[in-house]
Amino acid sequence: MKKPIQFIILTCVLSWAVAGVAIILGLRIDTTSVIPYTVFASSYMFIPAICTIILQVRHKEKPFRNLRVSFRVNWWFLIAGIVPIIYAFLTLCINPLFPNISFSATAEGYLASLPAEIAQEATRQLSQFPPAVFMLVTVVQALIAGCTINALFAFGEELGWRGYLLRELQDKKFLHVSLITGIVWGAWHFPLILLGHNYPEHPVVGVGMMIIWCVLLAPVMTYITIKSKSVVAAAIYHGTLNAIAGISGLFIIGGNDLINGVTGIAGFITIILITFAFFLYDKYISKENIFTKSIV
């Protein structure tokens, strides 16, 4: 366990220190600092990869060696792009099942939460397309972004979580590895969550919610990485999810950030259902039983 602990400590300490300095220098999430925050958050995603390379050099390994960095495309790359789309839209269907929450094709709940000048521009853009067309355009954009620019930034994280950490936790049970990875991945986000990322209404509770969400996401992402034999597939999943996640709460009225969207309880229910579907596939169709075995 020496190398995994080294990675966890180095990645968290370095990331949190960088975030702490940025916060001291005035980093915030609001309408006046969207671009600075976006630049910082995007850069923050590369720290796990940087720490991975540091440790590989420290242990006299060639960078990227034996970390499942493969661009050999297979069907699991496609699955990595499609599952987040299903995840977002299934969450959009589950969300209105909660009390005092409803679906709105005009996105009035989302627009009401925006500052007046931004809401006016957003209303203009949404009015250009019928809801179905807008959703289709969003899906196409998410798939393109998820396989390109978003995947590049997500790779900065995934080289650490589903690359180095997954490799160093080999010989442990699949669900054990997913639990460890999910906890570390979720906790790593905590400075951003306290700033209001994902849970702007409940930043403190949001830290715990983020850890739970990452733990729930980890099995499917680990499974896709193993089946595709590539951390690039995990980056595509991560990048596409980042691109499409917003639509899961865009057309919802009522509720709050602890319930709505892929990072809320509605999303938790959805990812549990998706994970169960993967488990059934693994057990009864592929018959590899990866979920119950040690990772090799």
Side-chain angles (χ1 to χ4, degrees):
M1 287 291 288
K2 182 178 179 181
K3 287 184 179 179
I5 292 174
Q6 287 179 342
F7 172 78
I8 292 168
I9 293 175
L10 178 62
T11 302
C12 289
V13 170
L14 180 59
S15 300
W16 296 344
V18 170
V21 171
I23 292 170
I24 290 171
L25 293 176
L27 180 69
R28 297 290 183 272
I29 300 180
D30 55 43
T31 56
T32 63
S33 59
V34 172
I35 294 177
Y37 176 77
T38 301
V39 171
F40 173 79
S42 300
S43 302
Y44 191 80
M45 295 175 74
F46 283 107
I47 296 179
I50 292 170
C51 292
T52 294
I53 294 171
I54 289 172
L55 288 176
Q56 285 195 290
V57 172
R58 167 70 178 79
H59 293 290
K60 297 180 171 53
E61 296 182 65
K62 289 184 178 180
F64 305 105
R65 176 69 65 88
N66 298 325
L67 297 180
R68 292 186 169 95
V69 180
S70 171
F71 294 91
R72 185 174 295 177
V73 177
N74 53 60
W75 283 108
W76 286 96
F77 279 64
L78 179 61
I79 292 170
I82 291 176
V83 171
I85 306 295
I86 296 172
Y87 179 17
F89 280 95
L90 187 55
T91 299
L92 186 59
C93 295
I94 289 175
N95 225 147
L97 299 178
F98 286 82
N100 302 315
I101 296 177
S102 59
F103 176 85
S104 169
T106 59
E108 59 187 276
Y110 168 74
L111 294 172
S113 69
L114 299 175
E117 64 277 8
I118 297 178
Q120 185 176 7
E121 175 60 20
T123 301
R124 186 190 66 79
Q125 292 180 1
L126 286 169
S127 65
Q128 292 179 344
F129 306 100
V133 175
F134 176 80
M135 289 182 179
L136 178 61
V137 170
T138 301
V139 167
V140 172
Q141 290 177 335
L143 286 171
I144 294 173
C147 294
T148 54
I149 185 66
N150 278 24
L152 174 63
F153 287 102
F155 180 79
E157 286 190 46
E158 295 306 325
L159 187 68
W161 315 136
R162 253 64 61 173
Y164 191 83
L165 192 54
L166 178 60
R167 187 193 73 177
E168 295 304 327
L169 291 174
Q170 280 186 351
D171 299 327
K172 296 190 178 299
K173 292 289 187 180
F174 173 87
L175 291 178
H176 185 191
V177 172
S178 297
L179 177 63
I180 294 173
T181 304
I183 291 172
V184 175
W185 182 26
W188 172 83
H189 285 88
F190 102 85
L192 306 186
I193 303 302
L194 288 178
L195 283 173
H197 185 83
N198 284 346
Y199 304 95
E201 300 170 62
H202 302 88
V204 176
V205 177
V207 173
M209 291 287 287
M210 190 68 185
I211 292 173
I212 294 170
W213 187 53
C214 288
V215 168
L216 293 175
L217 279 174
V220 168
M221 295 185 69
T222 302
Y223 190 85
I224 287 174
T225 303
I226 293 170
K227 293 288 285 186
S228 66
K229 299 179 180 179
S230 175
V231 73
V232 176
I236 291 173
Y237 184 105
H238 192 155
T240 305
L241 182 57
N242 283 351
I244 196 67
I247 204 167
S248 63
L250 183 62
F251 298 99
I252 293 298
I253 298 177
N256 57 54
D257 54 15
L258 298 181
I259 298 174
N260 297 344
V262 296
T263 56
I265 295 174
F268 291 4
I269 294 171
T270 305
I271 194 59
I272 289 171
L273 294 175
I274 290 173
T275 302
F276 185 62
F278 270 72
F279 171 77
L280 293 178
Y281 167 83
D282 180 62
K283 183 175 178 63
Y284 296 108
I285 299 178
S286 75
K287 297 181 179 180
E288 291 183 272
N289 297 320
I290 291 173
F291 273 76
T292 56
K293 290 182 178 179
S294 297
I295 292 176
V296 293

